[in-house]
Amino acid sequence: MDLVLQSIVNGLIQGGFYSLFAIGLVLIFGVMRVVNFAHGELVMVGAFTIWVVHAQFGIGYIPAIAVAIVLVTVIGLLMERVLFRPTRADPLAGLICSIGVLFILQVIATLVGGDGPSKQVPPPYHGTLVLFEMIRIPYQRVFSLVVSAAALGGLWFFLTRSKFGWALRAVAMDREVAALQGINTNKISIVAISVGAALAGLAGGLVAPLGNINPHMGHNVIVTAFIVTIVGGVGSLSGAILAAILYAMFHTFVTVYFGATIATIAGLTLMVVVLIVKPTGIMGVKVSE
Amino acid sequence: MSLLEVSSLTKRFGGLLALDDVSLTVEENEIRGLIGPNGAGKSTLFKNIAGFHKPTKGAIAFQGQSIVGQKPHTIAEMGIVRTFQETTLFQELTVFDNALVGTHMTAKTDVFSAILGLDKAVQRRARKKVMEVLDFMGLADRKDQLASELPLGSQRALALSVALVSGPKLMLMDEPFAGMNAEETNHMMDLTRKVRETGVTIVLVEHDMKAVMGLCSYLTVLNFGQVLAEGTPDEVRNNENVIEAYLSGAK
Amino acid sequence: MSDQGRFNLRHAALGAALLVIVVSVPHFLKFHHQDLLIFLTINVLVVCSYRLVTLTGEWSLIHAVMLGVGAYAATLSHNHLGLEIWFTLPLAGLTGALVAALLCFPLLRMTQFYFLIGSFAAGEAIRLIWVEWVSVFGGTSGLRGVEAPVVWGIDFLDPIPYYYFCLAVVTLCLLILYRIENSRIGLTLHAIHWKAALAESVGVDAWKYRALAFIIGSFFAAIAGGLKIHYLGSVTPNQFTIGFMVFILIWVIVGGYNKFYGPIIGVVVLTIFDESIREFEIVRPAIYGGMLILSILFLPLGLESIPSKFRSWFGAGSTPSEPPLTDR
């Protein structure tokens, strides 16, 4: 029973983290119709920034997260302007360009961090929160959960209450119709990639003290993001969040009982099944082509 | 037995009733016109017959055999071939290769024959057939041009050739005259008559009234997914329901 | 089409020169470069088989894993059944074809973006099965023990004999792939790519042909995997990651995927280029990434399109029209 409750809490924390980068992928695909294969590397760059700014230069953890967010957002904006905008006619071209970016970012990370073993960032928050004398959550993870929830809440507020959010959803639904209504789709693309990249940078900042940091950590991130995005529905933000939390719980449970690899295989199989049975995902709407 | 019998066909898209209890029969070797205002369900009817959509309700029989729920390629093999709205061609292939794709049903081959060249005789026959049809359609001297390089009239003739070379019994032509000038229209009308003379039955969806009235012996008028009127061109022209539908559509 | 079959002096000379080069080249190379030449030869088969899959317009991300399927099939059949390379290679190909045939049912229900992601997921799942199922596939450290045999005193582990063996196998496979592309089947695949609905309207079963291209492409990918593993002597799941898949994509795209020989040019040029930047080991992937981006932005039809670009720049007569897609 302890284990079950503990796993649910761990899954919830993990799910919040998954949501941060899955949402970015959904936003970028929704608005630009580009599958950003380098999205995992954006998270990696965020984590590396924490390692450099916080662990190496000794600047505070929170300012380091801010630096990570700004840096990753700038990278995202560059990708939009230089790669995705000129190749908009051909969605495959955008995807392949993002693979190029993936390589470049990995190499930059290797150059910055050296070719050695994975880096660690000592958690800035110590101690463990104990609930009901059986669930133990390190404060670092409590922080991660609170910040993810706040960021998602802020995003929800932005998308539903602001003019930009409304326009963004309109473009994601149908780019041409939105353009006819006078929405500047280039501007919206910039907003979408900024939000997506900023969330990826934040995700990197949150994961840095919790795991190993290396140039190839983006791989697991993108696999997870794909599973979450497809299961949740390619066009659906709420679907992505729901799927992120469900998949995180699923993954946590299967990992506890069968191991992490089996958990990922099961996740991938689940994704293929969803693609076949309901390509629009659990919460998806039909994406207009 | 009629060649094609559509009975009580209904097609629903979500809340929209695109076809509502449509029935019609097409006799062997006629040119049937299918007219009606935009959104009347003409193209939807074609897509249901050719297997690109599955009807919600109703029956379609071709030569007495039900074809509802069959895949497009199966329906093509039974002898129903459609042409598409606008100019749907393999733009990046040559005129010859476009028509050669049309011979698929008689010339398809398996991997081993393809590798070893065992299908040579079959392919030679297919190419001969293609040349005959291109000659017949007046496209023979353009055979090595890319389809995208042809003028509109020739592109439509090529689309007709792709369908004709597959040896259909029934051809469904979707707006073959759209966007043509008078000269191109006359040429296309001649070609359509020539196709019919080879024994092919034709159902034609068209807005160009001059072409429809000139070609068809019998017309079916659709409006809001229902059959509004049927009859010879003269009967239809003087039918009050038809006149009203077109006038209200024209507003 | 009348060109076909007519004796063409220029083509014959080109062919003879090519033959002399590929046959004599290993003798001018150092041992390390001979190794590289073998992998290059195998990779030519990899890109050409991948191109066949893409002919219908669908880009898959599972091709690298199909090499792995062949590699594991070859290793397992060698280690457990004692089969030599002559039998393990066809067996590898058949295993690849079988796996592809089974995957057709889920994967080919999707197209475009969904197919891309679906094929990625399926490939990653297969790869993780190799990682997880240690008793059969050896886990992350993989399997060893497979090697090329000694026949009539010729040691096929020696790079030069093995190169000739690869050259023979790859040439045969390319010949078959070329025949398929230039047959009625190739024409049908092109037709499905450009207008699937029109092809279906004249009786083409598009699903069947997509499946056919996927299965044949996987067959040859698996043979390439077998060839590779018999030379390397061991197989691990890490040889077939998305990283290797990306290299396949780069070779095909930089070379140009509209012509049969485009991907071959891509893999040859990039392998030579890769060797020339060996000293920049760490930044090598970034150079590749940059090149991929530049070629997408500035040379979308690939290296293959450079000669015709030159011709149109210097106006040397009219550009020749596309060669016919079928062999008459």
Side-chain angles (χ1 to χ4, degrees):
Chain A
M1 190 58 201
D2 290 14
L3 194 59
V4 172
L5 276 178
Q6 182 73 48
S7 300
I8 288 177
V9 171
N10 289 350
L12 200 63
I13 294 168
Q14 202 69 16
F17 170 63
Y18 288 176
S19 306
L20 289 182
F21 52 77
I23 287 234
L25 201 69
V26 170
L27 271 180
I28 294 169
F29 180 77
V31 171
M32 285 177 264
R33 289 286 176 272
V34 170
V35 184
N36 181 18
F37 246 85
H39 210 69
E41 274 56 37
L42 296 182
V43 174
M44 181 272 290
V45 170
F48 252 87
T49 311
I50 302 297
W51 178 73
V52 171
V53 175
H54 176 64
Q56 300 301 114
F57 292 141
I59 294 166
Y61 179 53
I62 305 283
I65 290 182
V67 175
I69 291 174
V70 171
L71 180 67
V72 175
T73 307
V74 169
I75 295 174
L77 286 172
L78 274 175
M79 286 169 72
E80 195 278 332
R81 189 66 196 87
V82 180
L83 304 178
F84 297 156
R85 204 183 291 183
T87 58
R88 187 173 295 147
D90 180 359
L92 186 69
L95 183 150
I96 296 197
C97 283
S98 76
I99 292 178
V101 173
L102 177 158
F103 276 126
I104 294 172
L105 291 180
Q106 282 184 357
V107 166
I108 292 174
T110 311
L111 290 177
V112 169
D115 215 5
S118 291
K119 314 282 180 278
Q120 315 271 338
V121 172
Y125 303 105
H126 301 282
T128 301
L129 178 70
V130 181
L131 289 175
F132 315 118
E133 293 179 356
M134 51 182 175
I135 303 167
R136 305 171 57 80
I137 322 167
Y139 278 114
Q140 188 62 45
R141 289 183 187 273
V142 176
F143 175 77
S144 168
L145 181 64
V146 170
V147 174
S148 314
L152 294 174
L155 178 72
W156 180 80
F157 194 78
F158 167 75
L159 286 176
T160 51
R161 299 296 161 85
S162 77
K163 198 174 117 257
F164 266 130
W166 172 82
L168 199 142
R169 284 184 300 152
V171 176
M173 245 181 273
D174 193 323
R175 191 177 185 98
E176 274 164 39
V177 171
L180 284 178
Q181 288 178 335
I183 296 173
N184 181 342
T185 54
N186 279 342
K187 213 177 196 172
I188 297 305
S189 295
I190 289 173
V191 175
I193 197 131
S194 303
V195 173
L199 290 176
L202 176 63
L206 293 178
V207 81
L210 296 172
N212 290 326
I213 303 170
N214 65 65
H216 303 284
M217 64 190 280
H219 181 74
N220 282 336
V221 172
I222 196 75
V223 171
T224 306
F226 278 157
I227 295 174
V228 166
T229 314
I230 296 286
V231 172
V234 174
S236 164
L237 292 173
S238 48
I241 297 179
L242 186 64
I245 292 167
L246 289 178
Y247 177 65
M249 300 227 176
F250 171 81
H251 199 276
T252 314
F253 271 95
V254 180
T255 304
V256 167
Y257 293 104
F258 301 100
T261 315
I262 297 273
T264 307
I265 295 175
L268 290 163
T269 313
L270 181 72
M271 167 176 161
V272 174
V273 170
V274 170
L275 276 171
I276 296 162
V277 179
K278 197 165 183 296
T280 51
I282 48 175
M283 298 275 285
V285 284
K286 201 166 169 62
V287 177
S288 65
E289 292 294 329
Chain B
M1 181 181 66
S2 305
L3 186 68
L4 178 74
E5 283 176 68
V6 176
S7 22
S8 305
L9 200 70
T10 301
K11 175 70 189 178
R12 196 184 281 278
F13 294 108
L16 179 79
L17 203 53
L19 291 175
D20 182 9
D21 202 26
V22 170
S23 300
L24 83 156
T25 54
V26 177
E27 301 302 328
E28 193 113 10
N29 210 14
E30 69 168 314
I31 300 185
R32 167 66 63 93
L34 200 56
I35 61 173
N38 277 326
K42 300 165 306 224
S43 289
T44 310
L45 179 58
F46 266 19
K47 283 177 188 155
N48 279 278
I49 297 173
F52 286 80
H53 285 331
K54 200 174 170 209
T56 315
K57 245 183 19 221
I60 309 170
F62 181 67
Q63 297 183 310
Q65 227 180 325
S66 171
I67 57 169
V68 171
Q70 300 286 358
K71 293 250 164 59
H73 66 91
T74 315
I75 290 175
E77 287 193 0
M78 297 173 83
I80 304 180
V81 171
R82 66 176 285 211
T83 69
F84 292 77
Q85 261 179 32
E86 292 163 8
T87 27
T88 299
L89 288 169
F90 308 110
Q91 301 283 355
E92 294 78 1
L93 303 188
T94 62
V95 168
F96 186 90
D97 282 340
N98 264 274
L100 196 58
V101 175
T103 61
H104 179 80
M105 288 184 280
T106 52
K108 63 182 163 208
T109 183
D110 62 283
V111 181
F112 298 101
S113 310
I115 296 167
L116 300 172
L118 300 177
D119 58 342
K120 270 209 173 87
V122 177
Q123 301 307 333
R124 201 177 307 123
R125 263 204 304 280
R127 290 193 293 273
K128 204 167 139 248
K129 172 95 179 147
V130 166
M131 275 324 292
E132 281 168 20
V133 168
L134 290 182
D135 252 343
F136 182 75
M137 290 288 181
L139 289 168
D141 47 347
R142 290 182 177 273
K143 68 181 167 57
D144 293 327
Q145 270 178 287
L146 290 184
S148 53
E149 294 167 354
L150 296 182
L152 181 75
S154 302
Q155 290 201 346
R156 295 282 166 79
L158 179 56
L160 195 55
S161 310
V162 175
L164 183 62
V165 79
S166 71
K169 299 186 184 102
L170 172 65
M171 202 187 277
L172 309 173
M173 294 171 68
D174 204 346
E175 302 194 12
F177 299 97
M180 285 186 164
N181 62 29
E183 190 191 332
E184 288 168 332
T185 303
N186 281 332
H187 181 62
M188 193 69 187
M189 284 173 74
D190 288 342
L191 289 178
T192 312
R193 281 196 201 96
K194 275 168 80 177
V195 169
R196 190 194 80 111
E197 279 159 22
T198 65
V200 179
T201 308
I202 293 172
V203 180
L204 185 70
V205 163
E206 189 48 64
H207 285 294
D208 185 329
M209 281 307 142
K210 180 178 160 276
V212 173
M213 298 294 175
L215 279 171
C216 305
S217 45
Y218 205 76
L219 298 178
T220 301
V221 188
L222 287 182
N223 194 26
F224 294 114
Q226 291 177 320
V227 177
L228 185 68
E230 278 194 300
T232 62
D234 276 335
E235 287 166 10
V236 166
R237 204 173 316 184
N238 298 318
N239 184 308
E240 285 188 10
N241 290 337
V242 175
I243 295 167
E244 196 189 330
Y246 267 88
L247 284 178
S248 64
K251 262 194 291 203
Chain C
M1 60 177 115
S2 51
D3 282 350
Q4 292 279 337
R6 189 199 292 168
F7 183 71
N8 189 323
L9 203 65
R10 226 176 103 215
H11 285 169
L14 207 69
L18 207 63
L19 188 72
V20 171
I21 291 173
V22 296
V23 169
S24 63
V25 71
H27 299 283
F28 300 110
L29 296 176
K30 290 188 294 251
F31 186 80
H32 161 73
H33 287 144
Q34 289 173 340
D35 265 8
L36 219 65
L37 184 66
I38 289 173
F39 294 127
L40 170 60
T41 312
I42 297 168
N43 286 338
V44 166
L45 180 57
V46 174
V47 291
C48 287
S49 57
Y50 186 61
R51 183 168 175 280
L52 186 80
V53 178
T54 66
L55 278 188
T56 57
E58 300 294 351
W59 290 71
S60 114
L61 292 181
I62 201 176
H63 207 66
V65 171
M66 285 301 172
L67 254 83
V69 170
Y72 276 98
T75 310
L76 289 172
S77 62
H78 177 85
N79 287 358
H80 295 299
L81 306 174
L83 297 182
E84 288 302 351
I85 190 165
W86 335 115
F87 299 104
T88 61
L89 280 188
L91 199 69
L94 289 175
T95 312
L98 181 73
V99 171
L102 293 175
L103 286 174
C104 278
F105 292 98
L107 290 185
L108 292 181
R109 295 173 62 119
M110 316 165 202
T111 56
Q112 296 182 1
F113 162 72
Y114 297 97
F115 177 74
L116 194 93
I117 301 297
S119 63
F120 171 73
E124 192 64 13
I126 292 177
R127 215 178 59 79
L128 290 175
I129 289 172
W130 298 331
V131 172
E132 182 64 26
W133 204 349
V134 181
S135 60
V136 180
F137 299 109
T140 36
S141 50
L143 301 170
R144 356 186 91 260
V146 57
E147 53 194 39
V150 180
V151 183
W152 300 319
I154 304 169
D155 184 358
F156 276 90
L157 252 188
D158 214 20
I160 292 187
Y162 200 73
Y163 166 70
Y164 286 128
F165 176 71
C166 281
L167 191 64
V169 172
V170 170
T171 308
L172 179 68
C173 293
L174 290 195
L175 209 65
I176 294 173
L177 284 167
Y178 185 82
R179 292 284 298 182
I180 292 174
E181 190 183 330
N182 288 280
S183 74
R184 156 73 51 175
I185 293 173
L187 177 72
T188 310
L189 296 178
H190 278 285
I192 291 169
H193 178 186
W194 296 120
K195 274 282 180 317
L198 179 56
E200 286 180 322
S201 80
V202 290
V204 173
D205 184 347
W207 191 92
K208 205 183 99 186
Y209 278 87
R210 285 198 180 110
L212 192 67
F214 185 56
I215 292 169
I216 296 174
S218 303
F219 175 85
F220 287 110
I223 286 191
L227 271 179
K228 203 173 217 169
I229 242 52
H230 273 284
Y231 190 67
L232 283 174
S234 67
V235 51
T236 72
N238 270 345
Q239 292 160 341
F240 312 104
T241 56
I242 189 76
F244 181 58
M245 184 65 232
V246 169
F247 274 98
I248 301 175
L249 280 175
I250 295 176
W251 291 326
V252 171
I253 288 169
V254 173
Y257 50 84
N258 278 346
K259 300 253 167 66
F260 186 83
Y261 54 84
I264 303 179
I265 294 176
V267 69
V268 171
V269 170
L270 288 185
T271 303
I272 294 170
F273 173 76
D274 186 64
E275 189 51 24
S276 65
I277 57 167
R278 255 168 66 82
E279 51 208 284
F280 310 106
E281 185 57 42
I282 292 177
V283 293
R284 216 148 50 142
I287 296 174
Y288 263 96
M291 220 158 42
L292 188 62
I293 291 172
L294 290 179
S295 85
I296 286 276
L297 292 180
F298 301 111
L299 202 63
L301 292 180
L303 294 172
E304 163 265 295
S305 66
I306 289 178
S308 65
K309 268 202 171 148
F310 259 104
R311 268 197 296 271
S312 59
W313 282 340
F314 295 105
S318 62
T319 42
S321 63
E322 295 283 301
L325 288 163
T326 47
D327 121 54
R328 316 281 174 214

